[in-house]
Amino acid sequence: MRPYPFTAIVGMAELRLALVLSAISPAIGGVLVRGEKGTAKSTMVRALAGLLPGVDVVEGCRFSCDPAAPDPACPDGPHAADVAAHRRPARLVELPVGAAEDRVVGSLDLERALSEGVTDYQPGLLAGAHRGLLYVDEVNLLHDHLVDTLLDAAAMGRVTVEREGVSVSHAARFVLIGTMNPEEGELRPQLLDRFGLTVEVASSRDAAQRVEVVRRRLAYEAAPDDFAEGYADAEAALAADIAAAQRLVPSVTLSDDALLQIAEVCAAFEVDGMRADIVTARTAAAHAAWCGRDTVTTEDIRVAARLALPHRRRRNPFDAPGIDEEQLEEALRDAEPPEQGPPDDEGPDDDGPGPGSGGEPEPSDADGQPANGQGGSAGERQVGAGSPYRARLFTVDGTGSGAHGRRSRAVTDSGRTVGVRPAGVRDGGAHLLATVRAAAPHQLSRGRSGPGLVVRPHDVRYALREGKEGNLVLFCVDASGSMGARSRMREVKSAVLSLLLDAYQRRDKVGLVTFRAAQAEVALPPTISVDAAASRLEALPTGGRTPLAEGLLRAAEVLRVESLRDPRRRPLLVVVTDGRATSGPDAVARAHTAAGLLAGTGVTSVVLDCETGRMRLGLGAELAAHLGGEHVALGDVAAETLTREVKRRAA
């Protein structure tokens, strides 16, 4: 929490306050920090651990049991009533994005369990974070199976490990803190809701403040100890204030009027469920204690709502998070008792995010109007998208082994068991029955004399499981002049936006290649941020000829580069066009040649045919044939359309 060296960060005061309130009342549920790279998110979080009061733990307990109330199910227990205890500093445990599940929840020694009948459980990161902080940097990049584990632990306050009939359970109550860059993708809604508070941070554009950042950073690097010593007194005072607020918070009173205000605010923002009300109430009580009060006031509720509601009021993944200050003030006024005046006590300087801390999506341009500020050719148009709908599922052929997701079949470390891996290929959980079968024929030669099974490391077999993977969905969109006719581009953008929403829900990476006039360009390199793809799609202008071959070749180059960066993630190419090629000599032949090159790479392709009208040339179907892919009419992208067609054919 020391102020080095990042003072020029917008929202840093709000982040400081959110972290302090979570330390005062861990029941709030932690903090999610959103911001661009280089904004000191990790620096602030790591500095928090040094300010927290120490915790009393049972001597020798690997699970940090509280001597006053030890966990009766502790794997190192049961602990006696007069067990020895010692005090240690609060822990900040970091959970790496690429951590294995066994490292997170702990693991059992299968060999000892089979041969000696001993449950030898090695604690994981969640056990280490019990009664402390669990920090996940780039939490939005966390694999789905680890997200599921975190959700279970956060909801139950316990971790249960099941390994082939052997069960171990221990307490795991921690303050969850995550940092993320929204440009790299959003969080799953279930995990997003588990964070009590959220803060947006961004770097300042003021030159004087940026100079001060550089000056302090250089001073820190030149003499780290001396630099830190200069803030030792301030840190000690802050730690004392946090400890005092922790002692005060149990005695803070939440009146019925305050609870009514909280309910009115949450209802006004149409949040889902009751967690928002509970978190806001806990945050308001913690803020009152931080200010030295024993009664919650309107100001406490205002600060709590600014921190607890922005990430809970989002209605779909393409809406920007934020909170309307006027709506907040109106809700507070509607529920405020007539006799209640402004609070007498002043809060700390960092009393929550100010107006405009969250963003609202900017309105799109009107359909068919010239794009302002767009330096394109004459006749260029920018058309907005319509409302998204539930799109049909397109999958990649075969079985992959990529990142966890919900699109195509893949061999994963979770899912249904479809086979057994040999010894030495430790990818997935151990398969008990196959291990016993491998060890059974060798019991006499190994001198087995007791009831236990003699197991060697090379006997252990691991389960082969099949689940779903996320893919790279690369959109290659025709933005030529013919696409702007009869509002066709609006339908195209609605279809692509619907597929982007589907990609968000299925944990895919997305990319966008566009082609018009005489060239093709990568409008968005492959990313997991579908928000970025949606914004680029919304701003996509149309006009000019149709360089179809150039678009396909640029898409092929993007896929080639991405296969080197992420070879396990299989691609799905979605070409959105009417099949016409009008740019350059032999445009159609060159387009078909480019399509053949793509087909030779084995990429799974889908052509969304935008051709309309009674007289159709069938060029989209011809392109799909050269790609070796599926041909789908633009109007058949909706899942409901596919359902109606299936029923019609069945009848």
Side-chain angles (χ1 to χ4, degrees):
M1 302 293 289
R2 65 174 65 110
Y4 79 87
F6 302 96
T7 58
I9 306 298
V10 178
M12 192 56 72
E14 291 83 359
L15 174 56
R16 180 180 186 270
L17 177 62
L19 293 174
V20 166
L21 295 180
S22 291
I24 293 171
S25 178
I28 288 174
V31 183
L32 175 65
V33 189
R34 297 165 50 95
E36 59 196 33
K37 53 186 176 293
T39 49
K41 302 184 296 293
S42 300
T43 300
M44 287 288 288
V45 172
R46 292 188 176 100
L48 177 63
L51 302 176
L52 299 180
V55 294
D56 293 324
V57 298
V58 173
E59 186 73 37
C61 179
R62 298 173 296 169
F63 301 88
S64 301
C65 280
D66 186 352
D71 180 11
C74 175
D76 285 352
H79 302 297
D82 56 348
V83 66
H86 75 282
R87 192 168 186 82
R88 62 160 175 79
R91 290 175 179 166
L92 173 68
V93 176
E94 297 192 35
L95 194 160
V97 170
E101 185 176 7
D102 286 354
R103 183 71 184 93
V104 176
V105 301
S107 59
L108 296 174
D109 189 331
L110 182 62
E111 185 177 347
R112 288 197 64 193
L114 289 174
S115 60
E116 304 176 24
V118 175
T119 303
D120 184 13
Y121 175 72
Q122 300 299 320
L125 296 175
L126 296 184
H130 179 46
R131 304 177 66 200
L133 307 175
L134 181 66
Y135 172 46
V136 187
D137 193 14
E138 304 294 351
V139 63
N140 52 326
L141 304 182
L142 203 63
H143 292 304
D144 274 2
H145 66 290
L146 296 184
V147 171
D148 295 337
T149 299
L150 277 183
L151 288 173
D152 290 341
M156 306 302 297
R158 300 193 67 82
V159 172
T160 300
V161 180
E162 301 283 353
R163 291 292 186 272
E164 280 71 37
V166 182
S167 177
V168 175
S169 177
H170 64 81
R173 293 182 296 274
F174 46 80
V175 177
L176 180 61
I177 300 178
T179 57
M180 60 174 284
N181 183 352
E183 294 179 355
E184 297 174 341
E186 290 292 344
L187 278 178
R188 282 172 52 183
Q190 297 91 334
L191 183 57
L192 183 65
D193 191 49
R194 284 293 173 184
F195 285 97
L197 312 177
T198 186
V199 178
E200 295 272 346
V201 296
S203 58
S204 172
R205 299 297 182 258
D206 183 81
Q209 290 184 335
R210 297 175 75 92
V211 167
E212 182 62 19
V213 169
V214 176
R215 182 180 293 114
R216 293 195 182 195
R217 179 67 192 186
L218 294 177
Y220 170 73
E221 291 177 349
D225 294 337
D226 293 341
F227 190 91
E229 184 63 27
Y231 296 99
D233 293 341
E235 287 190 349
L238 181 57
D241 291 342
I242 292 175
Q246 285 179 329
R247 294 190 294 270
L248 178 60
V249 72
S251 61
V252 172
T253 300
L254 259 170
S255 65
D256 290 343
D257 291 336
L259 289 174
L260 179 60
Q261 280 187 295
I262 292 171
E264 288 282 359
V265 169
C266 293
F269 285 101
E270 299 181 354
V271 297
D272 295 329
M274 295 299 298
R275 184 172 286 116
D277 302 62
I278 297 171
V279 171
T280 304
R282 289 170 174 167
T283 306
H287 188 263
W290 176 237
C291 297
R293 295 190 295 265
D294 60 2
T295 302
V296 170
T297 66
T298 299
E299 178 61 20
D300 299 321
I301 298 173
R302 180 180 292 109
V303 171
R306 287 169 176 165
L307 296 173
L309 299 186
H311 60 302
R312 292 189 165 88
R313 63 177 295 272
R314 299 185 64 189
R315 308 311 300 170
N316 66 67
F318 301 132
D319 288 342
I323 192 167
D324 189 327
E325 287 289 327
E326 292 184 2
Q327 186 179 2
L328 173 60
E329 294 301 325
E330 182 179 353
L332 289 172
R333 284 195 302 269
D334 290 344
E336 188 174 13
E339 69 277 9
Q340 180 173 344
D344 296 331
D345 296 323
E346 293 291 336
D349 291 339
D350 52 349
D351 59 350
S357 60
E360 293 295 334
E362 295 183 0
S364 59
D365 292 341
D367 185 12
Q369 297 299 319
N372 295 328
Q374 300 286 341
S377 59
E380 180 181 288
R381 296 158 58 87
Q382 182 173 321
V383 181
S387 300
Y389 44 79
R390 189 168 68 90
R392 61 186 290 185
L393 173 63
F394 298 104
T395 61
V396 177
D397 299 334
T399 302
S401 59
H404 286 266
R406 299 188 181 92
R407 182 171 297 276
S408 305
R409 291 176 53 193
V411 175
T412 63
D413 55 6
S414 61
R416 64 188 184 94
T417 301
V418 296
V420 178
R421 297 182 186 271
V425 185
R426 185 167 183 171
D427 190 4
H431 195 290
L432 179 60
L433 182 57
T435 300
V436 172
R437 286 175 176 170
H442 308 288
Q443 296 306 296
L444 290 178
S445 62
R446 293 174 183 174
R448 172 186 170 186
S449 58
L453 192 67
V454 181
V455 180
R456 299 288 185 262
H458 58 268
D459 295 328
V460 181
R461 300 292 187 268
Y462 296 91
L464 177 65
R465 295 189 172 97
E466 184 178 284
K468 297 287 187 180
E469 67 176 359
N471 299 114
L472 165 61
V473 182
L474 180 64
F475 294 92
C476 186
V477 180
D478 183 352
S480 62
S482 63
M483 299 298 290
R486 296 187 294 275
S487 298
R488 187 184 301 173
M489 200 60 189
R490 173 175 287 275
E491 298 179 16
V492 168
K493 289 187 176 182
S494 297
V496 177
L497 190 65
S498 302
L499 291 172
L500 284 173
L501 179 59
D502 182 66
Y504 167 81
Q505 295 169 340
R506 299 185 187 280
R507 309 299 289 174
D508 295 317
K509 291 180 73 173
V510 295
L512 178 62
V513 172
T514 64
F515 55 95
R516 65 186 182 92
Q519 62 182 2
E521 64 175 355
V522 182
L524 181 71
T527 175
I528 63 172
S529 176
V530 294
D531 290 340
S535 63
R536 301 288 175 88
L537 177 71
E538 185 69 25
L540 178 66
T542 60
R545 293 182 175 274
T546 310
L548 179 56
E550 285 75 8
L552 295 176
L553 291 175
R554 181 58 64 91
E557 177 63 16
V558 171
L559 293 177
R560 185 190 68 81
V561 173
E562 191 63 19
S563 68
L564 299 176
R565 293 175 177 170
D566 192 358
R568 295 180 60 190
R569 189 179 290 269
R570 298 187 297 158
L572 172 65
L573 177 63
V574 180
V575 183
V576 186
T577 181
D578 56 9
R580 290 181 173 87
T582 61
S583 178
D586 300 324
V588 175
R590 289 191 299 109
H592 290 170
T593 299
L597 292 174
L598 274 166
T601 65
V603 61
T604 300
S605 303
V606 177
V607 175
L608 299 188
D609 193 348
C610 306
E611 190 175 30
T612 58
R614 295 183 179 179
M615 299 297 295
R616 302 191 183 187
L617 303 178
L619 298 177
E622 190 175 342
L623 176 63
H626 282 85
L627 283 169
E630 184 177 0
H631 174 259
V632 179
L634 186 64
D636 293 339
V637 174
E640 290 76 7
T641 304
L642 178 63
T643 302
R644 289 195 299 269
E645 180 64 17
V646 170
K647 290 181 178 179
R648 185 188 66 80
R649 292 181 179 180

